[in-house]
Amino acid sequence: MLKVVLATNNLHKIEEIKPLLSKIELLTLKEVGLDVDIPETAETFVQNALLKAKSIFNLCGIPCIADDSGLEITALNNRPGVHSAYYSGSRDNQKNIEKVLQEMQNETNRKARFKTVMVYYDENSFRYFEGITYGIITKEPIGEQGFGYDPIFIPDGYDKTYAQMTLDEKNKISHRGKAIKKLVEFFEQF
Ligand code: IMP
């Protein structure tokens, strides 16, 4: 069975992805003896994910999966984008949300999209898989579930935010869920 390492220290992501990938043996950074945090310094999701996957591959020589996600808001020229995690200057979800809502205060165009890019990298190939979910930004935070910008994002076709959905419900329609589905399909051929 092909061994692949997942370039994240986020246990939540590992738990979410692992059960879906039955064709490969998914290893954590810890399991391959790495304690690293690769900075996401690039200007696109693909470049950031590739940067992480390549760095980890170069450190351990095992094929690697890495991801990068964020929120792109049309009226803000696609910000926060790759800067989603630290948009307010810190990794504080509430402060990040406050900054977005403040910038969106007088905007009538509330359109936004969440994007995830998942990259697979080994010595011979590089593939990437994208998941996008379109929606709108609310005027105030609603809901308690999830993380990040979940309380201010209503996916198209719904009348509730990501933060008002169960994890299962969100995974079925989320940007991350869609990218993971494509990755799973890719590994079906292994
Ligand atoms: P990551 O690349 O998956 O770690 O995501 C980077 C940042 O984008 C996170 O810290 C969140 O601020 C935001 N983000 C990504 N995915 C989601 C989501 O599903 N809900 C809410 N915020 C998200």
Side-chain angles (χ1 to χ4, degrees), residues 3 14 38 48 52-53 66 68 74 101 105 114 120 133 157 190:
K3 285 186 193 322
I14 297 166
I38 315 288
N48 269 334
K52 279 188 278 184
D68 195 28
T74 307
L101 289 183
Q105 213 171 16
F114 262 117
Y120 170 80
T133 297
F190 279 71

Side-chain angles (χ1 to χ4, degrees), residues 99-116:
K99 181 167 180 187
V100 165
L101 289 183
Q102 208 259 328
E103 289 184 323
M104 289 293 287
Q105 213 171 16
N106 300 315
E107 285 297 343
T108 48
N109 179 0
R110 315 291 301 180
K111 284 185 190 164
R113 63 184 179 213
F114 262 117
K115 200 185 268 183
T116 290

Side-chain angles (χ1 to χ4, degrees), residues 13 67-70 84-85 91 114 147-150 162 170 175-176:
K13 283 187 188 166
D67 74 326
D68 195 28
S69 313
S84 293
R91 219 190 167 123
F114 262 117
F147 73 104
Y149 301 91
D150 279 352
Y162 265 177
K170 180 184 162 188
H175 49 299
R176 189 170 297 100

Side-chain angles (χ1 to χ4, degrees), residues 41-54:
T41 51
E43 280 306 312
T44 68
F45 296 118
V46 177
Q47 284 168 355
N48 269 334
L50 182 59
L51 183 76
K52 279 188 278 184
K54 244 179 169 174

Side-chain angles (χ1 to χ4, degrees), residues 71-83 87 103-104 107 109 111 113:
L71 177 64
E72 294 183 327
I73 302 175
T74 307
L76 302 182
N77 294 321
N78 289 334
R79 291 193 317 274
V82 288
H83 305 291
Y87 195 46
E103 289 184 323
M104 289 293 287
E107 285 297 343
N109 179 0
K111 284 185 190 164
R113 63 184 179 213

